[in-house]
Amino acid sequence: MKFCALIHKVNHGDATIMTAEKVIEMATIGSAKALGMEAEVGSLEPGKRGDIILLKARSPGHTPGLLPVKNIVYSAASGRAVDTVLVDGEVVMEHGEIETFDEEAAYKKGEEAAWRLLNGSGILERDPDYLKPGPWMYL
C-alpha cells in the first residue's frame, strides 16, 4: 500500500493524487473487484469471508494515533504492529504468535532449501569465496 501511494505521488508530481484512504479502498474493495470476488471478499459484511488484521495502536509508526489511516498505509508494511490475524474467520496469529504452523520448522525448511539451491547452482565450486564477508554485505 505504501509503495502504491508513493509511486503515484512521484509519477504525477502531486502529493494529493493518491490518498491513504484511496489506497486502502484499492487494497480491499478494489482488489476483490479486480478478481471478480466482490460478493465474497473485499469488505466486512455478513455472508462474506472474514480476513482481518488487528494492529497494535501503541507501536512505532502508529503513535501518535492522530491519523490512523495514514499510519496503516505508510507504517504497517514492516508487520511489527501486527498483533492478530484472522483468515476466513479463523485465528492464524494471536498476539504475534503464529497459531497454524510451526514457525521454527518453516525457518529450518527455508534455510535447508536455500542451501540446496546454492549447492545445486555450482556457484560455490566456481567461487569458493562467494559467502565470505565483503564490502557488499554492508550496503
Side-chain angles (χ1 to χ4, degrees):
M1 290 188 297
K2 177 181 180 177
F3 289 111
C4 174
L6 293 176
I7 201 73
H8 279 84
K9 293 172 191 299
V10 169
N11 282 342
H12 292 276
D14 181 357
T16 64
I17 195 84
M18 186 61 65
T19 65
E21 292 80 5
K22 180 66 178 170
V23 170
I24 287 181
E25 181 182 322
M26 289 171 63
T28 55
I29 297 167
S31 294
K33 285 180 182 173
L35 294 170
M37 297 178 66
E38 62 269 26
E40 298 173 54
V41 298
S43 59
L44 295 176
E45 299 176 51
K48 287 190 174 183
R49 296 165 56 188
D51 294 354
I52 302 170
I53 298 172
L54 303 178
L55 302 173
K56 294 178 239 169
R58 297 280 183 225
S59 63
H62 293 275
T63 304
L66 303 175
L67 302 167
V69 175
K70 285 181 176 31
N71 290 349
I72 290 168
V73 169
Y74 294 104
S75 299
S78 72
R80 287 180 283 178
V82 176
D83 180 76
T84 301
V85 177
L86 290 89
V87 175
D88 204 10
E90 299 292 324
V91 176
V92 297
M93 175 189 277
E94 189 166 24
H95 306 302
E97 297 294 323
I98 296 174
E99 303 286 330
T100 57
F101 68 93
D102 183 347
E103 192 173 358
E104 281 305 314
Y107 289 135
K108 185 177 181 198
K109 281 182 80 172
E111 188 76 21
E112 290 168 354
W115 278 106
R116 277 195 312 277
L117 287 169
L118 186 61
N119 288 325
S121 74
I123 196 165
L124 295 177
E125 289 84 28
R126 291 189 306 275
D127 182 4
D129 294 332
Y130 181 76
L131 293 177
K132 288 189 178 173
W136 57 268
M137 292 184 81
Y138 307 104
L139 297 176

